[in-house]
Amino acid sequence: MTSRDGYQWTESSGLVKGVPSIGVIQPPTNIKDEQAIYDVIVVGAGYCGLTAARDAALSGLKVLLLEARDRIGGRSWSSNIEGYPFELGGTWVSWGQPHVWREISRYDMRNELEISHDYSRGVNHFSLNSASGSRNMSHEDEDRLMESALNKFANVDGQHGRTVMPFPHSESYSPEAAKYDKMSVADRMEQIKDDLSPDEHTVLLGFVLLCSCSTPEKTSFYEYLHWWALCNYSYEYCIEYLIKYKFKGGQSSFAINFFKEACATGRLSYAFNTPVATIKDNGSDVQVTARDGKIYKAARLISAIPMNILKDVAFSPALIPGKLDASNREHVNKCVKIHAEVRDRDLRSWSGITYPNNSLMYAIGDGTTPSGNTHIVAFGGSHNNIQPEKDINKTMQALQTLTPMDIERVVFHNWADDEFAKGAWFFSPPGLVTEHLEDLRAPQGNMYFANSDWAVGWRSFIDGAIEEGTRAALAVKRDIDRTRFAHL
């Protein structure tokens, strides 16, 4: 089946909207009783919503899952183009991410992982393109350069951040750590500018801004330190945890297992292509009205809606001020993720950073397609004026600026212009996390709020989404049980 989401381009087809994916759900609904009242409605079928719906159904609750898109996965989904999974959103997983690894083990997918990078053949080098010129270096030299720069960046305490953030999975943060949330990446760069070589400066910003897909001024230094702490305070583990292991069949091959298990309980109803307009907590129940006017009711509700679009749904009672302020401010990641299938097979072992003079700043060889071509994945941000669906030729030029390549196919999803996300994975501006994390996590009456955007551990990652879905489903089950037992 083909989703409405995503785009692909080939010379013969031109730019085409919609990408085939095994995550598209048919039929789009299984609701038989339009007047049914559920135990819980889950809004959103990304990993958080899928986890919440599955766990709630397994616990014996009657569940309704509502999703605006025609597919599961939210901001993590993969294509199935001629049998190849281009990852349109979240991609990489690791056994260092505990919730993800639990689910990989649950679905017996431990042998379904592969390594993104293959340095056994081809050019086997890293390209560094900066304002001072362009050159290639070995991946060993790339690692040494990156490690030196990132260690200097994170070393706020003489221990590479270990004493500032010793428990990155904690819900609380010390005043010492919180002060760094007032700082931007630009602020930290100013502090260490004299300690960085020109090459270190370029690769540092290229890597950190790959994490946020924003500008140094808008990127929270604290949030980067949180990522760094989760990655064992080292560049080596950043690569291990963030950008090394992925599913051979794509993220949708993982997500579909959550959905199938929930369906198998017989307690999951669902409706896709169902954007939500209003959510009203009446005290005795929660009423959800879709854009098409259909009304759904349940005792409780789990909103798995991303932070940037919470403000677009009319809640009654209104969202508490902290939730609304966070949504109005928005997180800063406006990533545009571009995949290129290229005929240059030697680029399988290539990677590169081009900063600051290109709208795509970071790219790697990320796979081999069934035809033997190389798959390149590149990252940029809408602040760099890249909008591939409006100007595919400019996007092709940006790919060529990274390194010369013979392009056969381009595949992408512009998350910045996605009305149901308004951004890619969460990355905060200065101040937002320490000011509003507790607000975002707080329930309101019969409404519970869960999303990777405000996970405690791997915030913004698939692992964080599963963490949050697990938390919300358990909280709702306990709440409903308390209510039922109170009436016995």
Side-chain angles (χ1 to χ4, degrees):
M1 300 299 295
T2 296
S3 174
R4 296 186 303 273
D5 286 345
Y7 291 83
Q8 63 171 315
W9 172 94
T10 64
E11 189 173 1
S12 60
S13 70
L15 187 64
V16 177
K17 182 172 172 51
V19 173
S21 172
I22 62 172
V24 177
I25 301 301
Q26 286 292 333
T29 184
N30 70 344
I31 295 175
K32 294 182 174 61
D33 179 4
E34 296 285 349
Q35 306 304 314
I37 298 177
Y38 300 88
D39 291 317
V40 58
I41 294 173
V42 178
V43 180
Y47 274 106
C48 179
L50 288 174
T51 303
R54 179 201 65 188
D55 287 4
L58 286 171
S59 74
L61 299 182
K62 185 177 179 181
V63 182
L64 173 63
L65 178 65
L66 299 177
E67 169 55 51
R69 306 180 192 275
D70 53 17
R71 58 172 182 80
I72 58 172
R75 289 172 286 181
S76 295
W77 70 291
S78 53
S79 76
N80 185 23
I81 297 175
E82 298 178 3
Y84 188 79
F86 294 97
E87 296 282 10
L88 281 302
T91 302
W92 293 279
V93 295
S94 166
W95 41 88
Q97 297 166 340
H99 300 283
V100 157
W101 195 248
R102 180 192 67 206
E103 301 298 344
I104 289 173
S105 299
R106 179 193 194 110
Y107 295 123
D108 196 22
M109 294 184 72
R110 290 180 295 271
N111 295 325
E112 294 301 311
L113 300 180
E114 63 181 0
I115 295 175
S116 280
H117 323 299
D118 181 2
Y119 296 154
S120 65
R121 58 191 173 96
V123 298
N124 199 20
H125 67 235
F126 169 75
S127 299
L128 179 59
N129 306 312
S130 66
S132 60
S134 301
R135 63 190 179 94
N136 297 327
M137 66 180 74
S138 70
H139 290 299
E140 292 76 14
D141 287 340
E142 170 198 2
D143 290 343
R144 282 190 285 270
L145 182 62
M146 282 283 198
E147 185 174 24
S148 175
L150 291 171
N151 280 340
K152 291 175 182 178
F153 187 63
N155 195 23
V156 293
D157 56 357
Q159 297 292 324
H160 300 109
R162 287 177 174 83
T163 64
V164 170
M165 202 174 294
F167 300 106
H169 287 272
S170 173
E171 291 185 48
S172 60
Y173 29 79
S174 68
E176 178 67 15
K179 74 179 185 182
Y180 294 112
D181 199 29
K182 304 300 181 184
M183 290 178 59
S184 69
V185 165
D187 294 331
R188 178 57 179 165
M189 294 295 292
E190 179 64 23
Q191 289 180 343
I192 63 170
K193 63 181 180 181
D194 294 335
D195 297 328
L196 298 172
S197 70
D199 282 352
E200 286 176 332
H201 184 275
T202 299
V203 298
L204 175 55
L205 281 178
F207 186 88
V208 173
L209 297 183
L210 166 65
C211 297
S212 73
C213 284
S214 186
T215 64
E217 294 76 18
K218 293 181 179 180
T219 299
S220 165
F221 178 51
Y222 172 92
E223 192 67 359
Y224 176 79
L225 284 178
H226 186 236
W227 282 38
W228 178 254
L230 289 166
C231 294
N232 202 31
Y233 314 93
S234 77
Y235 170 67
E236 178 184 2
Y237 279 95
C238 282
I239 298 302
E240 285 286 315
Y241 290 172
L242 304 182
I243 199 168
K244 186 170 183 178
Y245 302 100
K246 62 179 185 175
F247 290 105
K248 297 174 185 177
Q251 279 293 337
S252 294
S253 71
F254 185 38
I256 199 70
N257 287 308
F258 293 69
F259 183 71
K260 287 180 177 178
E261 186 175 7
C263 287
T265 67
R267 290 184 287 272
L268 178 74
S269 299
Y270 61 83
F272 288 78
N273 304 310
T274 306
V276 166
T278 67
I279 297 174
K280 184 178 181 181
D281 184 352
N282 296 313
S284 58
D285 63 18
V286 181
Q287 179 176 302
V288 177
T289 304
R291 289 184 189 174
D292 62 7
K294 289 183 179 179
I295 295 174
Y296 307 92
K297 293 182 179 181
R300 303 291 186 274
L301 175 129
I302 296 173
S303 166
I305 299 169
M307 188 189 83
N308 282 4
I309 62 167
L310 271 176
K311 61 182 178 295
D312 298 335
V313 176
F315 285 87
S316 177
L319 293 174
I320 61 174
K323 278 185 170 64
L324 189 58
D325 182 57
S327 185
N328 282 325
R329 287 172 64 182
E330 297 193 354
H331 74 73
V332 299
N333 187 335
K334 303 293 184 178
C335 177
V336 182
K337 186 178 183 183
I338 309 292
H339 299 273
E341 181 180 357
V342 304
R343 300 179 183 94
D344 315 79
R345 299 186 177 187
D346 283 350
L347 290 181
R348 181 68 181 86
S349 56
W350 168 85
S351 64
I353 286 176
T354 300
Y355 184 85
N357 300 317
N358 194 32
S359 53
L360 295 173
M361 59 187 171
Y362 189 100
I364 60 170
D366 192 36
T368 302
T369 67
S371 62
N373 288 335
T374 293
H375 163 212
I376 301 290
V377 59
F379 298 85
S382 60
H383 63 279
N384 289 326
N385 297 316
I386 184 166
Q387 295 181 294
E389 70 274 27
K390 297 179 181 178
D391 191 342
I392 191 65
N393 291 326
K394 184 176 180 180
T395 300
M396 305 270 275
Q397 291 168 6
L399 287 164
Q400 298 286 1
T401 300
L402 290 164
T403 194
M405 58 182 75
D406 184 7
I407 301 171
E408 181 172 308
R409 186 191 311 272
V410 177
V411 184
F412 62 90
H413 188 137
N414 187 346
W415 292 103
D417 286 346
D418 183 314
E419 70 166 316
F420 302 123
K422 291 186 177 178
W425 63 89
F426 174 91
F427 211 98
S428 63
L432 189 144
V433 169
T434 51
E435 291 172 19
H436 292 314
L437 185 63
E438 292 180 7
D439 296 327
L440 288 164
R441 294 170 61 78
Q444 290 185 225
N446 293 313
M447 302 184 295
Y448 290 77
F449 295 83
N451 196 277
S452 67
D453 291 354
W454 50 86
V456 170
W458 284 92
R459 186 164 45 248
S460 83
F461 291 83
I462 296 162
D463 191 89
I466 296 170
E467 171 197 319
E468 279 288 289
T470 301
R471 176 180 74 95
L474 181 58
V476 165
K477 172 62 174 171
R478 286 174 171 171
D479 191 13
I480 289 177
D481 284 349
R482 279 194 298 268
T483 301
R484 287 173 176 169
F485 293 151
H487 290 89
L488 291 180

